[in-house]
């Protein structure tokens, strides 16, 4: 049985460390803010100029002026600070962010990432992903394991790249993989979702990977 979106976010949240400055991408990654481990204090940053985002507000308590980069309403904390988008990207490009958790269309076994466009389809904009994967110290991708037309974990990406050798970890609804993006160890399967078998993962993964299950 595959993980739900919430379970995927909860697994990704285990990669948070106390004191981290973290950027959460649009989609499933935004749910990570609901699963920050107890005793771990992180500062969530948004490209549109907000540092120290609070949890999603309750219905009826939304402030339309407080939004994240995905235009979702968020709340503020006593420690929240605001600044221009230029300053926000200065933080990102300057290497001051510890972790980025974002979605993807494709990930290659060497850590290449494609997540910003499909040729022939309308693109609203590339967003901040190219800057994030180039400037952030660690990148975790959270995505569905397969697309309607096949695998998303590939030997080589077929869509336009967001970044080359940038992904450190992939959390899907079926499994968790690490990627040695700067070395020769490639992709390693380290965890299976509850009820998912190794054979199922192999059948739905084009990328070559070694099995390094923690409980094996």
């Amino acid at each position: 049985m595959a993980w739900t979106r919430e379970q995927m976010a909860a697994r990704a949240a285990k990669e948070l460390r106390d004191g981290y400055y973290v950027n959460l991408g649009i989609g499933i990654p935004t749910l990570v803010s609901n699963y920050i481990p107890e005793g771990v204090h992180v500062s969530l940053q948004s490209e549109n100029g907000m540092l120290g985002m609070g949890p999603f507000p309750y219905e009826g308590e939304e402030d339309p002026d407080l939004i994240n980069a995905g235009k979702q309403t968020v709340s503020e904390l006593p420690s929240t600070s605001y600044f221009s988008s230029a300053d926000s990207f200065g933080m990102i490009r300057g290497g001051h962010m510890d972790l980025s958790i974002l979605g993807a269309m494709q990930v290659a076994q060497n850590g290449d990432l494609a997540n910003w466009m499909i040729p022939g389809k309308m693109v609203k904009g590339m967003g901040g992903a190219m800057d994030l994967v180039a400037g952030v110290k660690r990148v975790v991708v959270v995505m569905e394991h397969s697309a309607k037309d096949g695998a998303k974990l590939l030997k080589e990406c077929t869509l336009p790249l967001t970044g080359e050798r940038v992904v450190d970890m992939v959390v899907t609804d079926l499994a968790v993989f690490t990627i040695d993006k700067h070395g020769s160890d490639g992709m390693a399967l380290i965890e299976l979702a509850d009820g998912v078998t190794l054979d199922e993962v192999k059948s739905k993964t084009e990328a070559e990977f070694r099995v390094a299950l923690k409980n094996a």
Side-chain angles (χ1 to χ4, degrees):
M1 183 176 178
W3 278 331
T4 64
R5 290 164 58 93
E6 288 75 18
Q7 287 173 314
M8 294 161 65
R11 175 58 186 84
K14 292 182 179 180
E15 301 306 308
L16 300 175
R17 299 291 181 269
D18 194 49
Y20 265 15
Y21 289 91
V22 182
N23 184 286
L24 301 179
I26 298 170
I28 299 174
T30 62
L31 299 175
V32 171
S33 62
N34 296 330
Y35 299 98
I36 298 173
E38 187 175 352
V40 173
H41 301 281
V42 299
S43 296
L44 300 180
Q45 189 254 21
S46 182
E47 299 102 295
N48 59 328
M50 190 173 180
L51 180 65
M53 288 186 293
F56 290 113
Y58 291 110
E59 186 174 353
E61 298 181 0
E62 300 94 340
D63 181 343
D65 290 328
L66 295 179
I67 59 172
N68 61 21
K71 298 182 175 59
Q72 295 171 302
T73 53
V74 294
S75 64
E76 63 180 356
L77 302 170
S79 58
T80 300
S81 58
Y82 302 93
F83 34 84
S84 72
S85 180
D87 288 331
S88 177
F89 278 94
M91 292 179 187
I92 294 167
R93 295 167 182 165
H96 303 291
M97 304 304 297
D98 297 292
L99 175 66
S100 177
I101 302 178
L102 41 71
M105 298 171 186
Q106 296 178 342
V107 176
Q109 63 193 38
N110 68 346
D112 287 354
L113 170 69
N115 83 335
W116 75 279
M117 75 168 293
I118 298 176
K121 292 193 176 183
M122 186 181 73
V123 181
K124 293 182 180 179
M126 65 182 67
M130 291 183 178
D131 291 279
L132 284 164
V133 298
V136 173
K137 297 171 186 174
R138 190 161 186 262
V139 174
V140 174
V141 166
V142 183
M143 67 178 189
E144 301 290 338
H145 197 92
S146 303
K148 292 180 181 179
D149 58 353
K152 295 175 67 173
L153 289 171
L154 308 172
K155 292 180 181 178
E156 294 184 5
C157 293
T158 58
L159 295 175
L161 292 184
T162 306
E164 296 182 354
R165 292 184 175 271
V166 294
V167 179
D168 296 281
M169 173 177 281
V170 180
V171 178
T172 78
D173 52 330
L174 301 183
V176 181
F177 298 84
T178 57
I179 299 178
D180 181 18
K181 63 186 181 184
H182 295 308
S184 58
D185 284 344
M187 180 180 287
L189 170 66
I190 64 168
E191 192 173 335
L192 293 171
D194 299 335
V196 173
T197 65
L198 177 58
D199 286 341
E200 181 180 1
V201 171
K202 287 182 176 179
S203 70
K204 296 180 178 179
T205 307
E206 180 197 293
E208 296 178 356
F209 63 88
R210 58 189 175 85
V211 178
L213 293 171
K214 296 176 180 178
N215 56 355

